[in-house]
Each structure stands twice: as C-alpha cells, then as structure tokens.
Amino acid sequence: MKRTYFLVAISILQLLVGSVMFYGAAVPVRMSGDVLVVAGDYHFEFGILGNGRLSGNLTELQGRSFELFVFDDRGYASFRDGSNAVPPLFAQNGTSFLFAYNLSGSGQYHVVFVDFPARGELQVHLDLVVVGLRTNEAILAVVVLVGGMALVGASLMMSVWAWRRRPPVPDPSSASVPDPLSAPPDANQDPSDDNTRVY
C-alpha cells in the first residue's frame, strides 16, 4: 500500500511539473540588444508547434541599409548555398523598420539580417518577439505529462490488485453456533456413575 501512495505522490508531482513546463513553452520569447556583424550575416533560428508570430524593431546604428529575411529550412538552405532557389517567407529592407509576420504552421524558422549583397559590417540594435509554442520545450512537457498519467494508471492498477488479493471477511451472520443438544459429555464425568442402580 505504501508503494501505491508513493506512486500517486510522484505522478501528481510529475503532472504539476509538466503543466508548468507546458505553460513555459507558450510564453513569448523576447530578444533585445546590439549585434555587431563584422562580415557575412546574423542568423538565429527557433521552432514552434502550430501557428505563431514574429515581430520586431530593427535599427542599423551606422545608418546603413540592410536586409531582413525569414526562412523555413528549405529556404535557409537555399540562401546558404547561394542559389536562392527558394524565396524567403518574409523580406524587408531599410536602415530602421518595424515588422510583424504571422508564422502559419509548425516548423523550424530562420531569421537573417545581412548587408545584401555586399555583406559589409553592420551594427544592429534588435528587439524581437517570438510568439508560439516552442517545439523542444513543448515536447519535453508532453513527455513529462504522459509519464505522470502513466504513473496514475499504474497506481490505480496496483490498488485494484491489492484490493482483490485481500482475504475475504467472514460474514458474522453465517457463523456456526454449537447445538447444545449435540454437545459432547463432560470429559470429567465418571462413566461408572451414571445414576443407574442394579438390584
């Protein structure tokens, strides 16, 4: 029985932790700060489950014009190999701009900004917000929640088995009462003294 109580306590704790993790996976992520791109481009990626949204405010501190791209995996691979065969999901250019883009499904997304095509030095102040259910954190939360539910099922099964293995309790109404007429003679009685006289 103690083992069942222990499993129930662990499963409740696991369900609570999984719920907190799932909530944390849905909290928007904000990135803010100054980024120096000496040569090439600045890139970061993130994954979401379901729909999401990317928004931000970018400013090139030297007043240089630059390009912002949002790619999926195929588009980013095409950008990296220089073929540009797959167009970006979103693109914008300027020295300073606000933008917002709706992410229309689960996947891995790549954000790139670059001095295109010269790929010169950039000093960009960025303020980006990603809204969506982050893939890795959400999967880990689901694993923890499923484990907690499995422990709940196991503890229920153990309690059912323990209940079935208990010996039956006898019914007091069916207990046998000795019949006083059929009671055996007193063992201490002398068999020769049976109140019979022979004349």
Side-chain angles (χ1 to χ4, degrees):
M1 206 64 178
K2 289 182 179 178
R3 184 180 300 176
T4 303
Y5 291 148
F6 178 74
L7 284 178
V8 169
I10 293 296
S11 62
I12 291 173
L13 179 62
Q14 201 161 342
L15 290 173
L16 289 174
V17 170
S19 300
V20 171
M21 291 173 64
F22 202 81
Y23 173 78
V27 173
V29 175
R30 184 169 191 163
M31 299 176 57
S32 182
D34 295 336
V35 175
L36 173 64
V37 182
V38 177
D41 57 70
Y42 175 83
H43 160 255
F44 79 93
E45 64 180 293
F46 60 92
I48 61 168
L49 294 174
N51 296 332
R53 184 176 178 83
L54 173 68
S55 60
N57 180 5
L58 301 177
T59 302
E60 212 291 323
L61 299 176
Q62 303 171 103
R64 296 179 179 176
S65 181
F66 68 101
E67 299 272 351
L68 166 73
F69 300 110
V70 179
F71 297 104
D72 58 11
D73 278 336
R74 289 179 59 249
Y76 183 65
S78 173
F79 172 79
R80 294 304 296 171
D81 65 24
S83 66
N84 297 317
V86 181
L89 301 173
F90 175 81
Q92 191 165 345
N93 69 334
T95 59
S96 180
F97 50 84
L98 296 169
F99 75 96
Y101 176 70
N102 291 326
L103 306 168
S104 59
S106 303
Q108 199 75 9
Y109 293 92
H110 305 260
V111 178
V112 176
F113 55 84
V114 60
D115 177 13
F116 189 79
R119 295 179 178 266
E121 179 183 288
L122 295 173
Q123 294 181 22
V124 179
H125 177 78
L126 60 87
D127 188 6
L128 299 174
V129 178
V130 178
V131 178
L133 194 60
R134 296 187 300 281
T135 305
N136 294 337
E137 291 90 337
I139 291 174
L140 186 57
V142 168
V143 169
V144 173
L145 286 171
V146 169
M149 289 186 285
L151 282 178
V152 169
S155 59
L156 287 175
M157 291 297 296
M158 288 181 65
S159 62
V160 169
W161 289 338
W163 179 78
R164 287 183 177 177
R165 289 171 54 187
R166 280 190 296 185
V169 178
D171 185 3
S173 63
S174 63
S176 58
V177 179
D179 186 358
L181 297 177
S182 62
D186 189 359
N188 296 327
Q189 184 178 355
D190 187 356
S192 60
D193 185 10
D194 56 358
N195 295 326
T196 350
R197 293 184 183 273
V198 178
Y199 298 98

